[in-house]
Amino acid sequence: MAFEAESDFSKQLTTRHKCSACYKQYNKKEHLVEHMKVSYHSVHQPRCGVCLKHCKSFESLREHVIGPLPKEDCSRVFSEQGCNLCLKVFDSPISLSEHKRSCRLPAPSPIGAMKLPYSDPIVVSHNGRGPGAIAIDCEMVGGGDDGTLDLCALVCLIDEDENVIFHTYVRPQISVTNYRYEITGLTEEHLRDAMPLKLVQEKILQILYNGESIVRARMQGGKARLLVGHALEHDLDCLRMTYPDNLLRDTAKYPPLMKTNLVCHSLKYLTQKYLGYNIQTGFHDPYVDSVSAMRLYKRMRAQDHPNDASEISTDAYKSQNVTSKFDSLRAKELEQMSPDELYEISRPNYKCWCLDSSQAIQP
């Protein structure tokens, strides 16, 4: 009996509790439970196509398969059958070769700095595919004594098919003290007959709200369009505009596209790593940047994740307590659950963009 008791005690000491998602192991079950509460594991996280390990972001997945210290087995398979852009793993090198032809996208042709007369926006119909998305990018010149105050001088909006629906120079409300020519390619001549900022605001909001009321757009979206961009707060600030948070799709703030420490990447980096071409090598072009942001958004939206109907709700990931399923159970109940059962009740702390393709226009 003493031997059996000693054996049971030894077994308890060597028992490890393994997370079903990221495979981390813990000596105590309570530590695994705490890990699950703060990790927000779900089917929406990036996963290794070889070992199926969940990663916080595509950056951590990239490190897992091709980083300085990759997982050896995964790295070997990925080197032969993995795509360096989307990080998917295919059945064979032949399948991979076919996939790469469509995964690596050509760089869009810049519009360039030219004299553009401003005109009425073109309103695009999205044929019932949901609210549709519009990408925006602004080029900014400097104001103030030291030229550090950002002033919008050029704005471009495109639709999901990369068609320009609004593109105009913008007349700043205060004097420009630095045209930042090395970056913008803009001079005083470009802004001489530019559209007043107030009129630019009206036209952009007309496109975005699409006839929907502001109240309904904030609550349910309705006919209002999703606004895609990179570091959108900077574009909206320089335009002196606001837009509902639930309709923003910011590639700088989307957790799967961020660094492992949740710091944002530049649009230039994301475009090179996930789309396969370079941008901003000379003058910055708002058309090229808005197309790149839209392509990143569409690539993330196209992620094939199993959808739970209960997850598709308006602003669910901002308004609900994502740990509520854990909080509703007592510690002892959680500790009695298996790792797979703990994973089943875990939810992400952000709204996956794949859910955008599942939502239809609200009647």
Side-chain angles (χ1 to χ4, degrees):
M1 292 293 293
F3 176 78
E4 290 181 2
E6 184 178 344
S7 178
D8 290 342
F9 180 71
S10 177
K11 184 176 180 181
Q12 289 176 8
L13 289 178
T14 58
T15 298
R16 302 280 283 175
H17 303 280
K18 186 177 181 180
C19 173
S20 297
C22 68
Y23 306 152
K24 287 184 179 179
Q25 298 186 41
Y26 298 88
N27 290 327
K28 296 183 178 180
K29 187 65 171 289
E30 61 193 78
H31 294 164
L32 171 62
V33 171
E34 289 304 312
H35 162 78
M36 293 301 295
K37 284 183 177 181
V38 299
S39 296
Y40 307 109
H41 289 312
S42 78
V43 296
H44 298 290
Q45 286 183 318
R47 290 202 300 174
C48 173
V50 182
C51 71
L52 303 183
K53 175 185 176 180
H54 289 239
C55 298
K56 277 187 176 182
S57 66
F58 284 102
E59 187 77 1
S60 57
L61 173 56
R62 190 180 298 278
E63 291 178 1
H64 174 74
V65 292
I66 54 177
L69 297 171
K71 184 73 172 179
E72 185 176 349
D73 292 342
C74 299
S75 178
R76 185 178 65 256
V77 175
F78 189 87
S79 65
E80 297 177 356
Q81 298 169 218
C83 175
N84 288 339
L85 295 177
C86 67
L87 303 179
K88 292 180 180 178
V89 176
F90 293 83
D91 295 336
S92 68
I94 295 176
S95 299
L96 172 63
S97 179
E98 294 175 353
H99 161 80
K100 282 185 173 180
R101 285 196 284 269
S102 60
C103 193
R104 183 176 295 276
L105 300 176
S109 300
I111 291 179
M114 60 181 72
K115 193 62 181 173
L116 292 174
Y118 58 79
S119 59
D120 290 335
I122 301 169
V123 179
V124 180
S125 171
H126 291 278
N127 302 319
R129 293 181 299 175
I134 299 293
I136 189 172
D137 187 72
C138 299
E139 287 305 318
M140 304 168 199
V141 292
D145 293 338
D146 56 359
T148 59
L149 182 63
D150 289 334
L151 307 173
C152 182
L154 178 59
V155 60
C156 179
L157 276 70
I158 65 159
D159 65 13
E160 291 192 28
D161 297 319
E162 303 178 8
N163 298 310
V164 176
I165 59 175
F166 187 66
H167 186 287
T168 187
Y169 294 109
V170 183
R171 186 190 309 159
Q173 293 183 315
I174 64 173
S175 299
V176 177
T177 55
N178 183 356
Y179 283 90
R180 303 173 183 173
Y181 178 79
E182 322 77 50
I183 298 174
T184 66
L186 299 177
T187 65
E188 182 180 359
E189 175 65 20
H190 290 104
L191 304 185
R192 182 161 295 158
D193 298 317
M195 182 183 289
L197 179 62
K198 183 173 178 57
L199 185 56
V200 171
Q201 295 168 339
E202 292 174 357
K203 290 184 177 295
I204 292 176
L205 291 175
Q206 176 189 344
I207 295 170
L208 295 179
Y209 279 108
N210 193 30
E212 188 59 84
S213 69
I214 295 178
V215 173
R216 183 173 172 81
R218 291 185 183 278
M219 295 296 294
Q220 297 177 314
K223 296 184 294 182
R225 296 187 168 103
L226 301 175
L227 182 60
V228 176
H230 189 81
L232 280 169
E233 73 275 12
H234 294 151
D235 293 322
L236 293 173
D237 284 348
C238 79
L239 287 166
R240 300 190 179 182
M241 285 173 41
T242 61
Y243 199 58
D245 287 345
N246 60 304
L247 297 176
L248 300 181
R249 299 294 182 266
D250 195 334
T251 56
K253 292 185 175 182
Y254 189 52
L257 290 176
M258 298 178 80
K259 298 180 184 180
T260 52
N261 61 355
L262 295 182
V263 174
C264 68
H265 282 294
S266 67
L267 180 61
K268 182 174 183 175
Y269 174 89
L270 293 175
T271 299
Q272 196 275 328
K273 287 293 184 181
Y274 297 100
L275 302 177
Y277 60 87
N278 294 314
I279 62 171
Q280 300 174 354
T281 55
F283 295 141
H284 291 200
D285 187 289
Y287 172 73
V288 171
D289 289 357
S290 57
V291 166
S292 298
M294 178 64 81
R295 289 176 176 180
L296 286 166
Y297 166 70
K298 290 172 68 175
R299 183 152 287 184
M300 294 297 105
R301 187 180 66 183
Q303 294 289 310
D304 186 17
H305 300 149
N307 285 340
D308 179 351
S310 65
E311 292 181 319
I312 305 174
S313 57
T314 304
D315 284 341
Y317 296 91
K318 288 187 178 291
S319 62
Q320 75 177 7
N321 179 359
V322 294
T323 63
S324 59
K325 294 201 174 188
F326 285 101
D327 294 342
S328 64
L329 297 173
R330 291 176 297 180
K332 289 294 183 183
E333 293 175 306
L334 291 170
E335 290 175 18
Q336 290 172 359
M337 297 174 71
S338 69
D340 286 345
E341 289 172 332
L342 290 171
Y343 173 74
E344 285 297 319
I345 66 172
S346 180
R347 292 292 180 270
N349 60 342
Y350 64 93
K351 179 178 177 179
C352 182
W353 289 349
C354 79
L355 299 178
D356 287 344
S357 61
S358 304
Q359 292 176 303
I361 296 177
Q362 298 293 327

